[in-house]
Amino acid sequence: MKASRRSKAAAKKAPREQAAKAQAPAGSLVGKGHNRAVPPLDKAKRLALFEMMVKIREFEEQVQRSYLEGLVHGTTHLCQGQEGVAAGANLALADGDYVSYTYRGHGHCLARGMEMETAYAELFGRATGLCNGLGGSMHFTDIAKGLIGAAGIVGGGLPAAVGAGLSAQLNGRGQVSAVFFGDGSVNIGAFHESMNIAQVWRLPVIFICENNLYGEFTRINFTTPFEDLTERAKGYAMTAVQVDGNDVEAVYCTTAEAAERARAGDGPTFIECKTYRHRGHSRTDPAKYRDPAEVEAWLARDPIPAYRAKLVKEGLLTQKEAERMVEEAKAEVKAAADRAAAAPWPDPQQNFTAKMFA
Amino acid sequence: MKASRRSKAAAKKAPREQAAKAQAPAGSLVGKGHNRAVPPLDKAKRLALFEMMVKIREFEEQVQRSYLEGLVHGTTHLCQGQEGVAAGANLALADGDYVSYTYRGHGHCLARGMEMETAYAELFGRATGLCNGLGGSMHFTDIAKGLIGAAGIVGGGLPAAVGAGLSAQLNGRGQVSAVFFGDGSVNIGAFHESMNIAQVWRLPVIFICENNLYGEFTRINFTTPFEDLTERAKGYAMTAVQVDGNDVEAVYCTTAEAAERARAGDGPTFIECKTYRHRGHSRTDPAKYRDPAEVEAWLARDPIPAYRAKLVKEGLLTQKEAERMVEEAKAEVKAAADRAAAAPWPDPQQNFTAKMFA
Amino acid sequence: MQTQEITYREAVVAALQEEMRRDPRTLIMGEDIGPSGGPFKTCQGLYEEFGHARVRDTPIAETGFVGAALGLAITGYRPIVEIMFADFLGVCFDQIVNGIAKHRFMSGGQFAVPVTIRAIGGAGLRFGPQHSTTAESWFMSVPGLKIVCPSTPAEAYGMLKSAIRDDDPVLVLEHKALLSSKGHVPVGSDQTQPLTGPRVLRPGRDATVVASLAMVPRALAAAEKLAAEGIEAEIIDIRALRPMDLTPVFESVRRTNNLVTVEEQAKLGGWGAEVAAQVTSEAFDHLDSPPLRVGLPEYPVPYSPPLEDSVLPSPEAIAAAVKSLL
Amino acid sequence: MQTQEITYREAVVAALQEEMRRDPRTLIMGEDIGPSGGPFKTCQGLYEEFGHARVRDTPIAETGFVGAALGLAITGYRPIVEIMFADFLGVCFDQIVNGIAKHRFMSGGQFAVPVTIRAIGGAGLRFGPQHSTTAESWFMSVPGLKIVCPSTPAEAYGMLKSAIRDDDPVLVLEHKALLSSKGHVPVGSDQTQPLTGPRVLRPGRDATVVASLAMVPRALAAAEKLAAEGIEAEIIDIRALRPMDLTPVFESVRRTNNLVTVEEQAKLGGWGAEVAAQVTSEAFDHLDSPPLRVGLPEYPVPYSPPLEDSVLPSPEAIAAAVKSLL
Ligand SMILES: Cc1ncc(C[n+]2csc(CCOP(=O)(O)OP(=O)(O)O)c2C)c(N)n1
Ligand SMILES: Cc1ncc(C[n+]2csc(CCOP(=O)(O)OP(=O)(O)O)c2C)c(N)n1
Ligand SMILES: [Mg+2]
Ligand SMILES: [Mg+2]
């Protein structure tokens, strides 16, 4: 009967058959580190990586300050400590690619070029906000930059990322759909269905799991049978790579390689980035549930000082230049936040029907 | 912080820590065939296995006939060809265990001792039916026999089976929860969440997947990245065994072994039974979508004649005795169906509130 | 206009085929809708014409493929998904309610979300408690969704075409008991049907009866019986549940002074309450008696034929309800 | 009776603790409810007292652990599950609607299904579009479920105790904006609250106002304002959505001749329609004017404070609605 299907769909050289190929999965790359095949980064790019991590860090620190000033409302989920993933992965993506993430997505959006002032304006609930103040911290979306959206529901954004991947495959222009999510998300149904569909249809999707060891206040070992989430990818015969999420260049190379495969039609990749969040889950969380020794060990592996030291050691950056970058970032976020704080509130009388229906 | 938790929960020697153990999964038994450790079956049990398969076969054939006579309504999902799984697995289970299944669950219920007459009465929609005619073919439930229910929603019954497993673990009486489902069910979220929870909590659950290669009209290769579903179990670090579902003794031994592990507190097992359904998905399906060669090959592997030949060859059964068993089964199902057909219709004026609320 | 007499099922297929020819950005995903044409044959022939790229058999994963539709929609496609039984909408409820219905709003209106969700629901075929819901009220309180429920081949054809062309998410609730019903349809035409507003199917002066889906033909049958007794019931097909523009119902009740709603689901929390409430506020002084709601009892649809028949409002029961008001 | 003044949050904890002490077959599952005591601290101290066996942190898998509750319930336990935000009920909708609500019926009534589902919902805390729903209407049309919505610490305490003791599935909709509100509660007592029926909180002769959850205190505030103008509004807390016994509301409207409903969700498809419809049929001749429904606009709850504030019915708006009827 497969034969008859083939003839039937011959005209369209049925990609359905390609799906069938998925039975024989591409030789799994499960393993540590990245593939040296990816061309080395030039100085400009490496400095840009450092600068981006610094910007994300300072952006989040400013969010914290603004929060205490009463400018940010409700809750926020900051990513200090995980900047290496956002900066590294995004550098490997191209214009025209699709990127999605979660409520902890400020970093991914910044790395993708989201403007700080509109971001703060959104956090402050202002009319000039990225989403006109309708979404807030958990729903940054900037379609013009391929930032297709954040999931406030754990795992909820993965199916849409798969849809964007199908969109990319149908377009045939070599786009990819990259989606960022956490370790706690791998236990929910939406993750499973998304992984399976992406693999069976060999979609150009890059699943980037930021394994920071905790889902809210609960450590991974209480919710998942292992701490290495590449293990989970085996259940989909999906190429899976584990990388040090605090090594920004390793994340870049691994993502670049996955993107190459995806653009070449070789299907999805699951990337596990080992990382850690410095702060609590959300602004009200003092993160008392973590072993102080564990926290200490990870703070010592902060991706920013580590990369700074590396660049300085290699003579690509002086401490002075690094300081200046930090100062500039501090000034930039401060200025952006100040301008945003001066922005007008949205008008409750505006026409919301236009926001609802196209 | 794990330490602090331990002390806190010391009094209850927190099984939470047991969950943590799941990190180091029991050495996976992934592989073919069954473990010789299980004591060999005596003659009586082997004949009983044969007889049970015959009964299930004849029961389903009668359902088909009754359907054509207009006695069965709506739709039915028959299991001819898959009797080896129901008969073999159930022999390995004990009174007090919990068993759940799907709309294709007639065989599992019969193997567990469901009475034919009440079953037919249910299929015929009569007041004397197993569920008083409220559920029909897709919802056979007989709590007194541990038959906790059938899922009409694909994957929908797996979480409840996990709950029954937790119930068994909490009871501490060595019960297990066995759940039967199909190959198409492994792609839905409920399956995923159930597998993960069962493994993390090391619950006494036996996941029995009847891989008959098709989900309705679509072959497994179009919906799943591989045809060996033990591959999927790897994503949960769950012990997984693949067995010939048409070898009733192999199914028995494999299930017995999984039950032993579960009763001993060693957690869940995923069993993939390779099998095939002789008929279409449901009564309206001529199953044209299957390759005739594939159908032929599987019909040649019909579990019943195969086991009959084996028993005859080993001198445990004569062709004459076998024939008599078949005749008796035919007579039994006919008699049961006839009695059921004479049963009264349920009263639309009855008090349904009592059926809804305890 | 040129029409052909075809079945509701054929009308669905025609609408899908014509719209997929019309716009290459459309595609359809669902279970067994490819070479098999769908369990209810509502996608017959589409795979042969459009191929796997645009007619996709999916794994059994409603959350996955319905959510994928959102990703496709905001990146330039116009996906259609088929939910085999409306009961399964429960499996992807989150994707529809928290995703598809909200994504445009949460973004501040940055993009359109042209997703069409078709779900085949309803009782009467002995499918039992988990395969017989119309799911009419599950999404009634969800802003952002448009919900329609065609009761005839012409409506199924015209509203599905409109849904596919619409730039917002539309949930099309079809009914399996109507699939083989026949009617005149302007196949091959551009004649779409509006996604809002009820339609008066039979005029009458004595009472207004508002029904949906498979209850519509039953209401019409009730009107026949009543006519034999000299009672003229005006039968209105509600057609659309969200948004709900009841103007024709208000006008009707101002003339008939009586309202009966008939829905294939429990009355508590049903759309009949919404219609009754709105009519009460809009035609308060014209009501001779309080609106009467007819629906299913407070339990799921049972499998046994006499029981299933007993829970579904019969033409006799509908007629009796109307008479009880007069 | 002995009462203590405690918060709504403390009332929930007390009810859970007392019922778990009372019946060893009870246990609770949810996300981060163990050593952390729950994101909203609604399980504070339970893990320390009952341990992991009965107070279980689950993976993020609502379908899995809510469905597991069904398996536990029909095999002898009395599970309680916490859904962190009511919005997440969408993720496990199928398990609740097709499983928990139907399993007893489909079996012909072979067993009880004593499952208690607690979900913390509601707006007002700037949580934005995906974390602010009350989900009051999502399950309104689902036979088999009992749905309650406590608005005070005493109700939260008493109704949760009743829900846990009840042999049928009960969905308890709590409200995050009420968690810190205080009230007198008969802690340590056996004083449960009925799972059905509204409660008159403030008598009045001019109009009946029926509200739920966080809209109740707003309705009471509105009554204060109206009283200053000599208008006496009778404030009724609906308390239970399913089953819905509105007798006290009927009696009230027969006296006040006016009805206003206030709910924290879109009006279209809301419970206000059900109340308006039932009151219209039961107190038709007593109504001076058609029932008036107050609710949220036709879009999700926005994040921006002035916008979120603007969508939530204020005491002023409620008072104005009442006055518009007089
Ligand atoms: C379906 C669902 N359940 C629960 C939550 C509440 N919640 C928000 S974030 C979170 C933890 C997620 O952990 P992880 O995926 O590791 O992401 P991280 O926060 O560590 O970045 C939970 C449980 C939710 N948003 N959605
Ligand atoms: C959530 C859901 N989606 C779709 C269906 C329709 N459906 C019923 S059976 C079936 C195929 C299931 O295949 P499999 O799991 O292999 O079981 P089998 O029928 O082969 O025993 C489908 C798609 C359903 N019942 N539930
Ligand atoms: Mg995490
Ligand atoms: Mg199968």
Side-chain angles (χ1 to χ4, degrees):
Chain A
M1 141 271 182
K2 253 195 275 158
S4 69
R5 272 187 194 192
R6 239 190 233 89
S7 53
K8 265 198 200 140
K12 321 260 174 300
K13 40 191 291 298
R16 195 179 159 83
E17 296 314 318
Q18 189 183 37
K21 268 200 303 173
Q23 276 177 76
S28 173
L29 301 186
V30 174
K32 317 253 166 198
H34 57 272
N35 180 332
R36 299 286 158 215
V38 176
L41 288 163
D42 61 26
K43 176 178 176 180
K45 282 214 169 79
R46 298 178 75 187
L47 292 179
L49 278 178
F50 176 70
E51 193 162 21
M52 181 52 68
M53 288 197 289
V54 169
K55 279 190 179 181
I56 295 172
R57 175 69 53 92
E58 294 306 327
F59 179 90
E60 297 289 64
E61 291 296 330
Q62 177 60 48
V63 172
Q64 190 71 14
R65 283 192 296 276
S66 298
Y67 196 99
L68 298 175
E69 289 166 23
L71 286 164
V72 180
H73 317 281
T75 187
T76 53
H77 307 80
L78 307 178
C79 69
Q80 293 100 320
Q82 304 182 204
E83 297 90 345
V85 178
N90 276 290
L91 183 62
L93 300 176
D95 291 354
D97 288 341
Y98 302 117
V99 180
S100 48
Y101 31 87
T102 71
Y103 49 85
R104 201 181 302 287
H106 301 171
H108 312 112
C109 294
L110 288 166
R112 187 78 183 166
M114 170 182 67
E115 287 188 0
M116 287 191 179
E117 181 177 344
T118 58
Y120 283 119
E122 185 63 26
L123 292 169
F124 299 172
R126 306 310 169 93
T128 56
L130 189 58
C131 306
N132 308 149
L134 300 183
S137 173
M138 291 198 268
H139 301 292
F140 281 4
T141 307
D142 192 346
I143 197 71
K145 297 191 167 63
L147 294 166
I148 64 174
I153 307 294
V154 165
L158 287 157
V162 166
L166 176 52
S167 180
Q169 185 182 67
L170 293 170
N171 290 339
R173 295 195 303 265
Q175 299 158 284
V176 307
S177 171
V179 55
F180 298 84
F181 54 95
D183 49 287
S185 318
V186 305
N187 298 323
I188 197 161
F191 163 82
H192 178 66
E193 300 187 14
S194 301
M195 290 285 284
N196 184 69
I197 292 174
Q199 180 67 9
V200 169
W201 292 349
R202 299 186 84 71
L203 300 178
V205 179
I206 307 175
F207 294 90
I208 303 173
C209 180
E210 299 187 52
N211 184 354
N212 61 15
L213 300 176
Y214 291 82
E216 283 204 352
F217 319 142
T218 305
R219 201 173 183 288
I220 186 170
N221 53 294
F222 295 113
T223 60
T224 315
F226 30 65
E227 293 200 16
D228 290 334
L229 297 178
T230 42
E231 289 300 306
R232 176 126 308 162
K234 290 180 182 169
Y236 309 96
M238 190 184 293
T239 300
V241 189
Q242 186 177 80
V243 62
D244 176 357
N246 288 12
D247 177 342
V248 66
E249 291 191 4
V251 172
Y252 161 75
C253 294
T254 307
T255 311
E257 188 185 358
E260 268 173 40
R261 293 185 54 259
R263 300 188 203 285
D266 294 334
T269 301
F270 177 89
I271 300 174
E272 175 188 15
C273 301
K274 300 281 196 183
T275 186
Y276 205 73
R277 60 168 150 77
H278 291 176
R279 303 294 184 108
H281 167 69
S282 60
R283 59 97 187 165
T284 48
D285 169 26
K288 289 258 171 22
Y289 46 81
R290 303 196 297 196
D291 183 335
E294 182 185 83
V295 177
E296 208 177 302
W298 276 99
L299 285 177
R301 305 194 57 256
D302 187 327
I304 298 177
Y307 196 49
R308 172 172 171 165
K310 182 177 186 184
L311 293 178
V312 169
K313 187 152 158 297
E314 295 186 30
L316 296 173
L317 181 72
T318 66
Q319 294 292 4
K320 215 160 146 306
E321 289 166 328
E323 277 318 315
R324 205 184 58 249
M325 283 184 181
V326 173
E327 289 320 312
E328 279 170 5
K330 284 188 194 298
E332 184 182 6
V333 300
K334 175 84 170 56
D338 288 346
R339 285 195 302 278
W345 293 100
D347 173 12
Q349 305 316 321
Q350 69 186 274
N351 171 12
F352 284 102
T353 310
K355 299 289 186 194
M356 286 299 285
F357 301 109
Chain B
M1 139 272 176
K2 253 196 269 158
S4 71
R5 274 187 193 190
R6 240 190 233 92
S7 54
K8 264 198 203 139
K12 325 255 172 296
K13 34 191 295 297
R16 195 181 160 79
E17 296 314 320
Q18 191 181 33
K21 268 201 301 173
Q23 278 178 75
S28 175
L29 300 187
V30 174
K32 316 251 167 201
H34 57 273
N35 179 331
R36 301 280 159 222
V38 176
L41 289 163
D42 60 29
K43 175 178 176 180
K45 283 215 170 80
R46 297 177 77 185
L47 291 178
L49 278 178
F50 176 70
E51 192 162 21
M52 182 52 68
M53 288 197 288
V54 169
K55 280 190 179 183
I56 295 172
R57 174 70 52 94
E58 294 306 327
F59 179 91
E60 297 289 64
E61 292 295 329
Q62 178 61 47
V63 171
Q64 189 70 16
R65 282 191 296 273
S66 299
Y67 196 100
L68 298 175
E69 290 166 20
L71 286 163
V72 179
H73 317 279
T75 187
T76 53
H77 306 80
L78 306 179
C79 70
Q80 292 100 319
Q82 305 183 201
E83 297 91 345
V85 178
N90 276 291
L91 183 64
L93 300 176
D95 291 354
D97 288 341
Y98 302 118
V99 180
S100 48
Y101 31 87
T102 71
Y103 49 85
R104 200 180 303 286
H106 302 172
H108 312 110
C109 294
L110 287 167
R112 187 79 184 165
M114 170 182 68
E115 288 185 0
M116 286 191 180
E117 181 177 343
T118 58
Y120 283 119
E122 186 62 26
L123 292 171
F124 300 172
R126 307 309 169 93
T128 57
L130 188 58
C131 306
N132 309 152
L134 301 182
S137 174
M138 290 198 268
H139 302 292
F140 280 6
T141 306
D142 191 347
I143 197 71
K145 298 192 166 66
L147 294 166
I148 63 174
I153 308 295
V154 166
L158 287 156
V162 166
L166 175 53
S167 181
Q169 185 182 67
L170 293 169
N171 289 339
R173 296 196 302 266
Q175 300 158 282
V176 306
S177 171
V179 55
F180 298 84
F181 53 94
D183 49 286
S185 317
V186 305
N187 298 323
I188 197 161
F191 164 83
H192 178 68
E193 300 187 13
S194 301
M195 290 285 283
N196 183 69
I197 291 174
Q199 180 67 10
V200 169
W201 291 350
R202 299 185 84 70
L203 300 177
V205 179
I206 307 177
F207 293 90
I208 303 173
C209 180
E210 300 188 52
N211 184 352
N212 61 14
L213 299 177
Y214 292 81
E216 285 205 350
F217 321 141
T218 304
R219 201 173 183 288
I220 186 171
N221 55 292
F222 295 113
T223 61
T224 315
F226 30 66
E227 293 199 15
D228 290 334
L229 296 177
T230 42
E231 289 300 305
R232 178 130 301 165
K234 290 180 182 169
Y236 310 95
M238 189 184 292
T239 300
V241 190
Q242 186 176 80
V243 63
D244 176 356
N246 288 12
D247 177 342
V248 67
E249 291 192 3
V251 172
Y252 161 74
C253 293
T254 307
T255 311
E257 186 186 357
E260 268 173 37
R261 294 184 54 258
R263 299 188 204 285
D266 293 335
T269 301
F270 177 90
I271 300 174
E272 175 189 14
C273 301
K274 300 281 196 182
T275 186
Y276 205 72
R277 59 167 152 78
H278 291 177
R279 305 292 186 112
H281 167 70
S282 61
R283 58 98 186 165
T284 48
D285 170 25
K288 290 257 171 26
Y289 46 82
R290 304 196 296 195
D291 183 336
E294 182 184 84
V295 177
E296 208 176 301
W298 278 97
L299 286 177
R301 304 195 58 259
D302 187 327
I304 298 178
Y307 196 48
R308 172 173 171 165
K310 182 177 186 182
L311 294 178
V312 169
K313 186 151 162 295
E314 293 185 32
L316 297 174
L317 181 72
T318 65
Q319 294 293 6
K320 215 160 148 305
E321 290 166 330
E323 277 317 317
R324 204 184 59 249
M325 283 185 182
V326 173
E327 290 318 314
E328 279 169 7
K330 284 189 195 298
E332 183 182 7
V333 299
K334 174 86 172 56
D338 289 346
R339 287 195 302 277
W345 292 102
D347 172 13
Q349 304 316 321
Q350 69 185 277
N351 172 11
F352 285 103
T353 309
K355 299 289 188 195
M356 287 299 285
F357 301 109
Chain C
M1 63 172 153
Q2 274 289 64
T3 68
Q4 284 176 36
E5 191 177 21
I6 58 173
T7 65
Y8 187 102
R9 174 186 287 101
E10 290 163 338
V12 169
V13 174
L16 290 171
Q17 184 185 47
E18 292 170 19
E19 292 307 306
M20 287 182 73
R21 285 176 180 169
R22 181 171 177 275
D23 189 340
R25 293 170 307 163
T26 55
L27 58 92
I28 183 163
M29 302 185 285
E31 290 149 8
D32 310 294
I33 65 164
S36 305
F40 289 108
K41 300 291 175 223
T42 47
C43 297
Q44 197 75 60
L46 299 180
Y47 177 79
E48 288 67 18
E49 176 169 354
F50 303 103
H52 174 69
R54 294 178 63 195
V55 182
R56 248 167 223 267
D57 276 341
T58 66
I60 304 168
E62 284 78 4
T63 292
F65 73 80
V66 170
L70 173 59
L72 280 158
I74 64 178
T75 57
Y77 287 85
R78 305 184 70 82
I80 304 159
V81 293
E82 169 170 305
I83 299 296
M84 197 185 299
F85 285 77
D87 309 68
F88 312 156
L89 285 167
V91 176
C92 48
F93 191 90
D94 170 70
Q95 288 294 321
I96 297 172
V97 171
N98 287 317
I100 290 169
K102 290 177 183 172
H103 208 61
R104 172 182 168 85
F105 179 80
M106 296 192 297
S107 77
Q110 292 182 36
F111 36 69
V113 182
V115 173
T116 299
I117 302 169
R118 291 179 42 239
I120 305 155
L125 275 70
R126 320 315 188 194
F127 274 107
Q130 284 186 337
H131 291 75
S132 299
T133 188
T134 59
E136 287 166 282
S137 285
W138 289 3
F139 301 91
M140 272 284 293
S141 62
V142 180
L145 281 183
K146 296 177 182 177
I147 309 176
V148 296
C149 43
S151 70
T152 66
E155 295 283 12
Y157 173 84
M159 286 206 277
L160 180 51
K161 284 175 90 94
S162 295
I164 296 169
R165 296 182 189 190
D166 198 84
D167 282 333
D168 301 307
V170 183
L171 174 59
V172 182
L173 298 174
E174 301 167 359
H175 197 296
K176 63 173 85 72
L178 297 173
L179 288 173
S180 301
S181 64
K182 293 192 147 204
H184 289 278
V185 178
V187 281
S189 77
D190 244 4
Q191 288 174 6
T192 60
Q193 297 280 356
L195 293 174
T196 56
R199 182 184 310 279
V200 178
L201 299 182
R202 173 185 175 119
R205 62 170 186 278
D206 302 322
T208 300
V209 178
V210 180
S212 69
L213 293 167
M215 297 300 102
V216 172
R218 287 167 182 249
L220 287 167
E224 280 301 324
K225 297 182 181 300
L226 289 165
E229 303 176 44
I231 300 170
E232 292 303 334
E234 179 148 307
I235 308 302
I236 300 181
D237 177 356
I238 191 161
R239 294 183 69 256
L241 299 175
R242 188 161 244 296
M244 198 181 268
D245 166 12
L246 297 176
T247 314
V249 176
F250 302 149
E251 286 162 1
S252 174
V253 173
R254 290 193 189 104
R255 280 185 283 102
T256 66
N257 313 117
N258 289 295
L259 172 68
V260 173
T261 61
V262 191
E263 60 196 307
E264 192 183 305
Q265 57 184 0
K267 283 175 290 187
L268 181 59
W271 58 255
E274 182 67 41
V275 172
Q278 287 195 33
V279 165
T280 303
S281 28
E282 298 302 317
F284 192 59
D285 301 328
H286 300 81
L287 282 169
D288 287 346
S289 55
L292 190 61
R293 294 186 280 154
V294 177
L296 268 55
E298 278 290 319
Y299 47 89
V301 176
Y303 161 72
S304 179
L307 299 185
E308 181 174 43
D309 292 342
S310 76
V311 303
L312 299 176
S314 63
E316 294 71 19
I318 298 168
V322 170
K323 284 160 77 174
S324 75
L325 292 183
L326 310 177
Chain D
M1 64 172 157
Q2 274 290 67
T3 69
Q4 283 177 35
E5 191 179 22
I6 58 174
T7 63
Y8 187 102
R9 174 187 289 101
E10 292 163 339
V12 169
V13 174
L16 290 171
Q17 184 186 46
E18 292 171 17
E19 293 308 305
M20 287 182 72
R21 284 176 181 170
R22 183 172 176 275
D23 188 340
R25 294 169 304 162
T26 55
L27 57 91
I28 183 164
M29 301 185 286
E31 290 150 9
D32 310 293
I33 65 164
S36 305
F40 289 109
K41 299 291 173 226
T42 47
C43 297
Q44 196 74 60
L46 299 180
Y47 177 78
E48 288 67 17
E49 176 169 356
F50 303 102
H52 174 68
R54 294 178 62 197
V55 182
R56 246 167 224 267
D57 277 340
T58 65
I60 304 168
E62 284 79 6
T63 292
F65 73 79
V66 170
L70 173 59
L72 281 157
I74 64 177
T75 56
Y77 287 85
R78 305 184 69 83
I80 304 159
V81 292
E82 170 171 305
I83 300 296
M84 197 184 298
F85 284 78
D87 309 68
F88 311 156
L89 285 167
V91 177
C92 47
F93 192 89
D94 171 70
Q95 287 295 318
I96 297 172
V97 171
N98 288 317
I100 290 170
K102 290 177 182 171
H103 208 60
R104 174 182 168 85
F105 179 81
M106 295 192 297
S107 76
Q110 293 183 37
F111 35 68
V113 183
V115 173
T116 299
I117 302 169
R118 291 179 42 239
I120 305 155
L125 273 70
R126 321 311 190 197
F127 275 105
Q130 283 186 338
H131 292 75
S132 300
T133 188
T134 59
E136 286 166 283
S137 286
W138 288 2
F139 301 91
M140 273 285 291
S141 62
V142 181
L145 282 184
K146 296 177 182 177
I147 309 177
V148 297
C149 43
S151 70
T152 66
E155 295 283 12
Y157 174 83
M159 287 207 275
L160 180 51
K161 282 174 93 91
S162 295
I164 296 169
R165 296 182 189 189
D166 197 84
D167 282 334
D168 301 307
V170 182
L171 174 59
V172 182
L173 298 174
E174 301 167 357
H175 197 297
K176 65 174 85 70
L178 297 172
L179 289 172
S180 300
S181 63
K182 292 191 145 207
H184 289 278
V185 177
V187 281
S189 77
D190 244 3
Q191 288 175 6
T192 59
Q193 297 280 356
L195 292 175
T196 55
R199 183 184 308 280
V200 178
L201 298 181
R202 174 185 174 122
R205 64 170 184 278
D206 302 322
T208 301
V209 178
V210 180
S212 69
L213 293 166
M215 296 299 102
V216 172
R218 288 168 181 247
L220 288 166
E224 280 301 322
K225 296 184 182 301
L226 289 165
E229 303 175 43
I231 300 171
E232 292 302 332
E234 180 148 305
I235 307 303
I236 300 182
D237 177 357
I238 191 162
R239 293 183 70 258
L241 299 174
R242 189 161 246 295
M244 198 182 267
D245 165 13
L246 297 176
T247 314
V249 176
F250 303 149
E251 286 162 1
S252 174
V253 173
R254 291 192 189 104
R255 280 185 285 102
T256 67
N257 314 116
N258 289 296
L259 172 68
V260 173
T261 61
V262 190
E263 60 196 307
E264 192 182 305
Q265 57 185 0
K267 283 174 290 186
L268 180 60
W271 58 255
E274 182 67 40
V275 172
Q278 287 196 34
V279 165
T280 301
S281 32
E282 296 302 318
F284 192 59
D285 302 327
H286 299 79
L287 282 169
D288 287 347
S289 54
L292 190 62
R293 292 185 280 155
V294 177
L296 268 53
E298 278 291 318
Y299 48 90
V301 176
Y303 160 72
S304 179
L307 299 185
E308 181 175 42
D309 293 342
S310 75
V311 304
L312 299 175
S314 64
E316 294 70 21
I318 298 168
V322 170
K323 284 159 77 175
S324 75
L325 292 183
L326 310 177

